[in-house]
Amino acid sequence: MEKISVYFMPGLAANASIFERIALPKDQFDTYFMEWEIPFEKESLKEYAQRISKKIKHKNPVLVGVSFGGILVQEMAPFLNPKKIIIISSVKSNQEFPTTFKLAKSTKAYKLIPTSLIAQIDNLAKFTFGDKVKQRLKLYQKFLSVRDITYLNWSIEKIILWDRLKADKNVIHVHGDADEVFPIKNINNCIVVKGGTHIMILSKYKWINVNLPKIIIG
């Protein structure tokens, strides 16, 4: 049986090591872990998605994206004809954003975010993963390595201004019921992981390792 190619995209500021606990059966899947690249000046999200898509070398891949990576793989889909799109701890449209994101867009408050301060690891961890991270900062020094100011400014703007109004019904959404960044109350049509927070790619890796193969094949 031909193995299925699965490409993973990490979340905002995270590197591929965030997937180090993810292990799919090697007799069924080939796994590839992608990294963020620094955006070009005035590069749109669509242009960036097209550029990153060129790094995928297999036809009809499965795309798995976490958080902002989930938004990106949805934007990559038109360039790749993926077998499946699976997002984890993410959103399927801007209708699933929390009120704070919508306010940031309407007031343009996102332009006031001090990304030079966010680039410091403790602030970046809180911004990306929520407030309950003090004990875990050493881990995040490892996982949150993409701290380039150009990248952070670009990413925050592209998230807040994401213009997808209608969810793609083919996107499979896995979401924790304790996600503090994208609260479950705003999320529709998802596979709910009990006790899963925004960093459940780390904290619920056992659930993901058991269930992701079924989701991909099913």
Side-chain angles (χ1 to χ4, degrees):
M1 184 178 74
E2 186 176 354
K3 291 198 278 188
I4 298 170
S5 299
V6 186
Y7 284 79
F8 291 81
M9 191 74 207
L12 174 65
N15 58 54
S17 67
I18 204 163
F19 299 115
E20 66 182 14
R21 299 173 183 174
I22 302 303
L24 304 185
K26 292 183 178 180
D27 61 331
Q28 294 177 283
F29 306 97
D30 286 327
T31 55
Y32 304 90
F33 303 105
M34 304 184 74
E35 299 278 7
W36 289 102
E37 297 196 358
I38 306 306
F40 299 147
E41 186 177 1
K42 296 183 180 178
E43 188 171 24
S44 69
L45 182 58
K46 182 177 180 181
E47 290 166 340
Y48 187 88
Q50 185 174 21
R51 178 157 65 93
I52 299 301
S53 294
K54 292 176 182 176
K55 299 187 175 297
I56 290 182
K57 304 303 181 185
H58 298 86
K59 290 183 177 179
N60 310 121
V62 172
L63 302 178
V64 181
V66 174
S67 193
F68 184 33
I71 290 175
L72 181 64
V73 297
Q74 291 175 77
E75 294 297 314
M76 291 167 62
F79 305 108
L80 293 168
N81 189 28
K83 180 183 179 73
K84 280 188 178 176
I85 305 167
I86 301 166
I87 65 172
I88 299 172
S89 308
S90 189
V91 290
K92 299 182 291 299
S93 77
N94 59 22
Q95 302 302 299
E96 295 184 330
F97 280 160
T99 303
T100 50
F101 281 48
K102 296 174 182 177
L103 281 173
K105 179 180 179 180
S106 63
T107 62
K108 297 187 178 179
Y110 65 91
K111 293 186 176 182
L112 303 177
I113 295 172
T115 43
S116 59
L117 292 178
I118 287 177
Q120 296 174 23
I121 187 62
D122 53 345
N123 292 324
L124 181 58
K126 290 176 185 176
F127 184 81
T128 309
F129 291 147
D131 290 328
K132 300 176 182 178
V133 298
K134 288 184 179 177
Q135 317 91 299
R136 305 180 184 178
L137 281 179
K138 287 185 179 178
L139 284 176
Y140 299 147
Q141 284 178 331
K142 172 182 177 181
F143 295 128
L144 298 178
S145 65
V146 190
R147 303 176 208 166
D148 180 89
I149 300 300
T150 298
Y151 163 80
L152 290 173
N153 282 327
W154 179 87
S155 298
I156 292 165
E157 179 180 78
K158 298 312 173 197
I159 294 169
I160 297 297
L161 299 184
W162 192 38
D163 60 2
R164 180 162 299 196
L165 288 167
K166 188 175 181 181
D168 180 345
K169 65 181 187 300
N170 294 316
V171 171
I172 300 168
H173 191 169
V174 179
H175 209 82
D177 64 3
D179 192 304
E180 62 276 34
V181 176
F182 298 125
I184 191 74
K185 66 181 181 181
N186 301 318
I187 305 299
N188 299 305
N189 301 321
C190 69
I191 299 168
V192 178
V193 179
K194 188 175 178 60
T197 66
H198 196 63
I199 56 168
M200 67 180 184
I201 196 69
L202 295 171
S203 60
K204 294 291 184 181
Y205 70 94
K206 291 181 181 178
W207 186 99
I208 292 170
N209 285 340
V210 169
N211 290 279
L212 189 55
K214 300 175 190 175
I215 293 168
I216 292 172
I217 294 172

